[in-house]
Amino acid sequence: FAAADIYDIPRLQAMCEKKMLESIEVRNAASIFLAADVHSANSLRSKALKYILKHFEVVSKSTAFEEMARSNVELVVEILRQR
């Protein structure tokens, strides 16, 4: 996913985004949201955010959410504001 963004390969990035959405679950939702934010994948970011909001009680207790909070607290603030 990151390589597709760095090397500007839109088709590969779209394929990666699709695969990431298919595999989204409680334990990786925050990681996907963070990666989508970093790589400006707006559609993936929006869908990951919706998943996090829908499953906030369990996602917020995941290791990935804690790691996201340490690396980008602004994303956590955004999530909390939309709850």
Side-chain angles (χ1 to χ4, degrees):
F1 177 69
D5 180 43
I6 292 168
Y7 295 108
D8 194 27
I9 307 171
R11 185 164 181 245
L12 179 58
Q13 187 167 357
M15 291 168 55
C16 291
E17 287 180 28
K18 182 180 178 200
K19 194 67 170 173
M20 291 169 83
L21 277 175
E22 290 171 357
S23 68
I24 197 167
E25 58 187 31
V26 168
R27 67 179 178 82
N28 66 11
S31 297
I32 291 173
F33 181 58
L34 176 61
D37 184 71
V38 168
H39 297 287
S40 301
N42 295 329
S43 177
L44 179 61
R45 186 184 190 283
S46 175
K47 291 172 183 171
L49 177 59
K50 285 180 186 174
Y51 183 93
I52 291 169
L53 292 171
K54 183 176 179 180
H55 304 281
F56 182 78
E57 293 304 319
V58 287
V59 172
S60 65
K61 296 174 185 164
S62 71
T63 302
F65 192 88
E66 291 173 12
E67 291 170 0
M68 179 189 68
R70 282 193 292 272
S71 65
N72 191 336
V73 71
E74 293 171 3
L75 292 179
V76 176
V77 171
E78 178 182 346
I79 291 166
L80 294 175
R81 284 188 177 149
Q82 292 193 35
R83 283 197 72 219

